[in-house]
Amino acid sequence: MAKVLVIGNGGREHAICYKFKQSSLVDEVFVAPGNPGMGDVATIVNIKANDYDGLIKFCKDNKIDLVFVGPEIPLCDGIVDILSEQGIDIFGPTKMAARLEGSKVFAKNMMKKYHIPTAKYETFSDYEKAKEYLLTQKCPVVIKADGLAAGKGVIIAKTKEEALNSLEEIMCNNLFQSAGKNVVIEEFLEGEEFSLLAFVKDDKVYGMQLAQDHKRAFDNDEGLNTGGMGAYTPINHLAQDTYEEAMEKIMKPMAKAMIEEGCPFTGILYGGCMLTNDGVKTIEFNVRFGDPETEVILLALENDLYQTIMDILNNREVELKFDNNHYLGVVMANNGYPGSYEKGAIIEGLDNVDLCFHMGTGIDDKGNVIATGGRVLFIVGKGDSLKQAKENAYANVKKITCSNLFYRHDIGDKGLKNE
Ligand SMILES: Nc1ncnc2c1ncn2[C@@H]1O[C@H](COP(=O)(O)OP(=O)(O)OP(=O)(O)O)[C@@H](O)[C@H]1O
Ligand SMILES: [Mg+2]
């Protein structure tokens, strides 16, 4: 029987632990640093994601068979290189391969070089040159900080004035610190977004069922961009052709391109895609499971997660299978998120909810579960139709009482409108 260590502390990691826990091959799931809400499926280990010495010692002492990393920061920092050097089995991209997410300039240049469809763009390290170029572009225009910025580094400017202000903030006033030293300025694409996640090893790409995130904070896609306010899967209104096109033109070519560049990719590759009038285009790549898409995709995945990863690591073919249910999840977030928010409101009703992943909860002195994160809970509904999954999810949301949480009411509506 195997022991697995999951790294991270959000809803995504809770779902990953939940899925590993279901494996008949796994007898113990650990999570570092985790959050108290994950105690149902994992043993919480008090080691930070960037404490590599601590993690190495823990893996050796506890004979961990597989390490799985949730978030992008340790991956871009090279955790896979560091742990594998110690002979620890870990599934994820190396530091060089993680540049696909860690540097938008790298990702865009790769797409250009290997003819992978994406928005037209230029990259800049010089403010004056960037400004000159910006003045020639039509609005809306998209400005992206090169480096990691916790999902906040993308500005969609509706006017030239807004674009120029943003550029100055990013390049001259260090709005995103060093992440904004270089920028990508790209054309604004119109269309419908979807997420295609795949297990990848070198040129083998195993695509998962499509999912859709809801990036904006409020109903009708209003408000600021967030880490994601809800997700559902499958996406039946997008044709199988769309999936095939994204696999053949985006995911597989990028896996091949990474080999060509001498930094083959192993791990979860996330294609942020958009179906435009001109075919499927790439919005971005991430090098890990998306949060919150993972929380619904892993529920639909019928394969044993541990077996699947072991097969992929050992170059055995796998066939991914997904069940026929619909899964829809609603994020409950602290008022103020994605800006500043108060922590500590007591959450009641969790025992009455069918299934919930903890994104940002803690325990107070009296043993109450409290809301500590920006995003706090991910409440899941399951059904034999999208409509039923939505009804179940919101029926569960209503069972939660907390004075400081808000949520969107329209998760899944794009799918319902197109059914
Ligand atoms: N060229 C574009 N045209 C239209 N919308 C875009 C474009 N680029 C980005 N966006 C919008 O901005 C969002 C964030 O952009 P992107 O995915 O590149 O940033 P990110 O910060 O890396 O996101 P994540 O946190 O999901 O990794 C996208 O989901 C999309 O809605
Ligand atoms: Mg990204």
Side-chain angles (χ1 to χ4, degrees), residues 71-295:
E72 63 275 18
I73 292 175
L75 291 169
C76 292
D77 204 30
I79 189 170
V80 169
D81 311 59
I82 295 167
L83 267 61
S84 355
E85 261 169 39
Q86 297 290 323
I88 297 164
D89 283 333
I90 176 165
F91 185 69
T94 60
K95 185 173 184 169
M96 290 295 273
R99 284 179 299 166
L100 264 188
E101 176 164 3
S103 166
K104 290 198 186 285
V105 170
F106 173 79
K108 292 295 284 192
N109 289 345
M110 285 290 286
M111 288 187 257
K112 189 184 270 181
K113 182 167 173 189
Y114 292 93
H115 310 290
I116 294 168
T118 189
K120 287 200 193 73
Y121 75 100
E122 290 294 333
T123 68
F124 298 93
S125 55
D126 180 87
Y127 169 68
E128 290 302 329
K129 289 205 177 111
K131 186 173 162 188
E132 206 175 290
Y133 177 78
L134 198 51
L135 289 168
T136 68
Q137 296 303 295
K138 63 174 199 289
C139 287
V141 64
V142 183
I143 306 173
K144 299 186 174 187
D146 175 42
L148 296 179
K152 294 179 183 163
V154 172
I155 310 275
I156 298 173
K158 292 202 185 71
T159 62
K160 279 268 151 73
E161 194 188 354
E162 198 186 334
L164 288 169
N165 282 339
S166 302
L167 187 72
E168 193 178 334
E169 281 299 309
I170 297 171
M171 293 194 87
C172 308
N173 302 335
N174 300 325
L175 177 63
F176 303 122
Q177 286 88 33
S178 64
K181 257 178 71 183
N182 297 311
V183 297
V184 174
I185 299 178
E186 70 179 30
E187 105 190 273
F188 176 78
L189 296 175
E190 265 179 90
E192 185 163 353
E193 281 188 73
F194 61 93
S195 308
L196 171 50
L197 284 72
F199 292 90
V200 176
K201 171 135 194 285
D202 305 334
D203 63 343
K204 295 282 184 208
V205 182
Y206 302 101
M208 293 178 235
Q209 181 170 286
L210 299 183
Q212 240 171 7
D213 185 7
H214 298 65
K215 293 292 282 180
R216 301 298 190 105
F218 306 127
D219 288 11
N220 302 316
D221 291 335
E222 282 168 26
L224 293 174
N225 259 341
T226 67
M229 294 299 292
Y232 68 104
T233 192
I235 310 299
N236 283 346
H237 66 281
L238 294 179
Q240 180 67 14
D241 286 0
T242 302
Y243 170 84
E244 300 293 344
E245 187 180 335
M247 282 295 285
E248 298 307 319
K249 296 206 167 143
I250 295 175
M251 306 299 282
K252 290 182 185 173
M254 185 49 89
K256 287 215 176 74
M258 294 299 278
I259 297 171
E260 199 73 15
E261 291 296 308
C263 47
F265 190 95
T266 295
I268 305 292
L269 184 61
Y270 170 117
C273 305
M274 192 182 271
L275 178 58
T276 71
N277 288 335
D278 194 21
V280 178
K281 302 221 169 151
T282 319
I283 293 288
E284 64 149 349
F285 286 102
N286 291 325
V287 299
R288 35 81 193 176
F289 267 124
D291 193 356
E293 292 96 323
T294 307
E295 288 93 311

Side-chain angles (χ1 to χ4, degrees), residues 220-413:
N220 302 316
D221 291 335
E222 282 168 26
L224 293 174
N225 259 341
T226 67
M229 294 299 292
Y232 68 104
T233 192
I235 310 299
N236 283 346
H237 66 281
L238 294 179
Q240 180 67 14
D241 286 0
T242 302
Y243 170 84
E244 300 293 344
E245 187 180 335
M247 282 295 285
E248 298 307 319
K249 296 206 167 143
I250 295 175
M251 306 299 282
K252 290 182 185 173
M254 185 49 89
K256 287 215 176 74
M258 294 299 278
I259 297 171
E260 199 73 15
E261 291 296 308
C263 47
F265 190 95
T266 295
I268 305 292
L269 184 61
Y270 170 117
C273 305
M274 192 182 271
L275 178 58
T276 71
N277 288 335
D278 194 21
V280 178
K281 302 221 169 151
T282 319
I283 293 288
E284 64 149 349
F285 286 102
N286 291 325
V287 299
R288 35 81 193 176
F289 267 124
D291 193 356
E293 292 96 323
T294 307
E295 288 93 311
V296 288
I297 292 175
L298 286 184
L299 292 175
L301 179 68
E302 288 185 330
N303 303 61
D304 179 308
L305 184 60
Y306 183 77
Q307 180 77 60
T308 304
I309 290 173
M310 282 311 180
D311 286 345
I312 291 172
L313 281 175
N314 292 293
N315 301 311
R316 292 188 288 265
E317 286 296 328
V318 303
E319 194 188 336
L320 298 182
K321 292 206 176 102
F322 292 86
D323 70 15
N324 292 322
N325 294 309
H326 292 251
Y327 296 91
L328 182 144
V330 180
V331 171
M332 300 184 79
N334 260 320
N335 282 322
Y337 172 77
S340 59
Y341 53 85
E342 275 181 30
K343 295 181 182 185
I346 293 173
I347 304 169
E348 281 170 314
L350 280 166
D351 288 345
N352 307 326
V353 166
D354 296 333
L355 182 57
C356 154
F357 294 120
H358 289 240
M359 304 184 100
T361 60
I363 307 267
D364 72 7
D365 302 344
K366 300 193 182 90
N368 298 306
V369 179
I370 52 170
T372 54
R375 295 187 294 172
V376 177
L377 297 172
F378 187 84
I379 309 281
V380 184
K382 171 180 168 179
D384 52 16
S385 65
L386 175 57
K387 187 166 172 278
Q388 192 60 56
K390 183 183 174 188
E391 278 174 22
N392 290 343
Y394 282 100
N396 280 297
V397 165
K398 300 232 155 62
K399 295 177 186 165
I400 299 286
T401 336
C402 181
S403 59
N404 203 40
L405 297 183
F406 78 99
Y407 57 89
R408 277 180 65 156
H409 306 80
D410 61 347
I411 304 302
D413 282 4

